[in-house]
Amino acid sequence: MYDLNNDTDLLLAGFTNDYIEGTLDKTEQTVFKEYLAEDAELASFIRKSTQGKQMLRNAFRVRAADDFEEKLAKRIAKEKQSESPCNSTDLASA
Amino acid sequence: MEKLSQKQIHNLSDEDLMEHFQAGYEQAFNILVSRFKDRLHNFLYRYTHNHQDCEDLVQETFLRVYRSKHSYERIAKFSTWMYTIALNLAKSLYKKKQRMTTVTIHEDESDPDDRPMKIEDTNILQDDSLHEKMCMDELEKALMELSEDFREVVVLRDIQQLAYDEIAEITDIPMGTVKSRINRGRAQLQSLLKNHVYPETISA
């Protein structure tokens, strides 16, 4: 029996995951579907997990503030100042 | 090292850029920052839910990349190496915060510097329904309710879109465990959000 609350049955967890991700080949998918037809608990778990995956598409995307790179450059410059000076070559002007 | 044009520099892989940076070309580092700054914000925000903390963590991640450039070896993907640094920093901060207070996803009113993060697609908030905004807020709340073990792999996979082998390497857990935790994390998320109707999931 697949323990849905444990990391123990990793083989079945792997198949379950590959099924949700759609990465099983045709034969594996057919066999796995037959297996699911006999295991209502696992089938229900897969439905939940698939829905959870779909919900995550609604997550908003966060991006850096416009002055992020400027702030970082300042911090790096400050750090460099406190260390011994070292020359670096600018790739663009090289 | 071979001299490259601007176009060639921008076409380099992350790993090639890191090699150039190791050789002293600072612009290679700047390109890496430009490539990863948004992805790191998007990742680390799921640990902080606070603009300033998130930005600090991203800055700290890049600073560590800068300082530790010579410890990077090409056997690893650059992104894997960098995400490992970011995740470790996030975990440290998260633990520290958990000790201090309950983490909230809402704006910290006592902190004058705390302001909402920039949302990439601003049209979503301006034009779409309140329902969609609520769904996003509920989703963020639910993500914070997942255990750390589940949240980190779910975020790396479903928000950061990283490959499974990369997630296994970043989190230092076996692939089978990664898959198991992602399955269970997603299912838990669904359970937490089952009362909210998501347009994309109605027919699922």
Side-chain angles (χ1 to χ4, degrees), chain A residues 2-18 20-21 23 42 44-77 79-80 83 86-94, chain B residues 2-4 6 9 12 20 24-30 33-34 37-38 41-42 45-46 51 55-56 58-60 62-63 66-67 115 117-120 132 136-137 139-140 143 154 157-159 164 176-177 179-184 186-187 189-191 193 196 198 200-201 204:
Chain A
Y2 177 43
D3 185 351
L4 301 173
N5 298 310
N6 260 310
D7 288 335
T8 49
D9 199 340
L10 297 180
L11 184 65
L12 193 52
F15 271 110
T16 301
N17 185 278
D18 294 346
I20 293 167
E21 294 283 356
T23 54
L42 183 59
S44 162
F45 174 78
I46 285 179
R47 270 194 299 278
K48 276 187 178 182
S49 190
T50 305
Q51 287 178 1
K53 180 178 187 282
Q54 289 168 334
M55 285 168 173
L56 283 156
R57 289 187 200 154
N58 291 288
F60 60 73
R61 303 196 68 77
V62 180
R63 67 176 177 86
D66 294 338
D67 60 352
F68 175 81
E69 288 177 66
E70 196 185 320
K71 281 186 196 165
L72 181 63
K74 278 182 189 166
R75 280 186 74 175
I76 289 171
E79 223 178 76
K80 273 182 172 175
E83 290 170 5
C86 63
N87 293 325
S88 65
T89 316
D90 189 300
L91 187 57
S93 59
Chain B
E2 194 188 342
K3 290 177 184 176
L4 299 169
Q6 278 287 351
I9 301 163
L12 290 177
H20 278 81
Y25 295 109
E26 295 253 336
Q27 199 198 346
F29 173 75
N30 295 337
V33 171
S34 161
K37 62 179 183 175
D38 287 342
H41 271 84
N42 206 29
Y45 184 72
R46 266 71 205 193
H51 170 74
E55 186 170 292
D56 286 349
V58 179
Q59 292 248 347
E60 191 57 35
F62 283 126
L63 274 175
Y66 190 92
R67 287 183 203 131
R115 57 192 191 279
M117 292 296 286
K118 296 185 87 170
I119 309 297
E120 199 166 84
E132 189 162 356
M136 291 200 294
D137 287 348
L139 180 62
E140 292 299 323
L143 265 174
V154 163
R157 177 64 195 156
D158 290 327
I159 295 182
Y164 279 89
T177 309
K179 289 184 171 182
S180 169
R181 288 184 186 177
I182 287 174
N183 292 341
R184 288 154 56 206
R186 286 168 173 167
L189 202 68
Q190 191 276 346
S191 298
L193 292 165
H196 295 270
Y198 283 81
E200 291 177 50
T201 58

Side-chain angles (χ1 to χ4, degrees), chain B residues 33-97:
Chain B
V33 171
S34 161
R35 276 186 196 174
F36 284 97
K37 62 179 183 175
D38 287 342
R39 274 184 265 180
L40 279 183
H41 271 84
N42 206 29
F43 172 54
L44 291 169
Y45 184 72
R46 266 71 205 193
Y47 278 84
T48 62
H49 281 101
N50 171 289
H51 170 74
Q52 196 55 54
D53 286 347
C54 176
E55 186 170 292
D56 286 349
L57 277 181
V58 179
Q59 292 248 347
E60 191 57 35
T61 303
F62 283 126
L63 274 175
R64 295 209 182 186
V65 168
Y66 190 92
R67 287 183 203 131
S68 319
K69 62 181 174 187
H70 292 299
S71 70
Y72 169 73
E73 291 177 36
R74 212 183 160 122
I75 46 171
K77 272 182 81 175
F78 170 74
S79 56
T80 306
W81 183 68
M82 192 193 56
Y83 270 107
T84 308
I85 294 171
L87 182 62
N88 287 336
L89 285 170
K91 281 180 172 176
S92 302
L93 181 78
Y94 186 69
K95 278 178 191 156
K96 207 194 295 181
K97 284 225 162 191

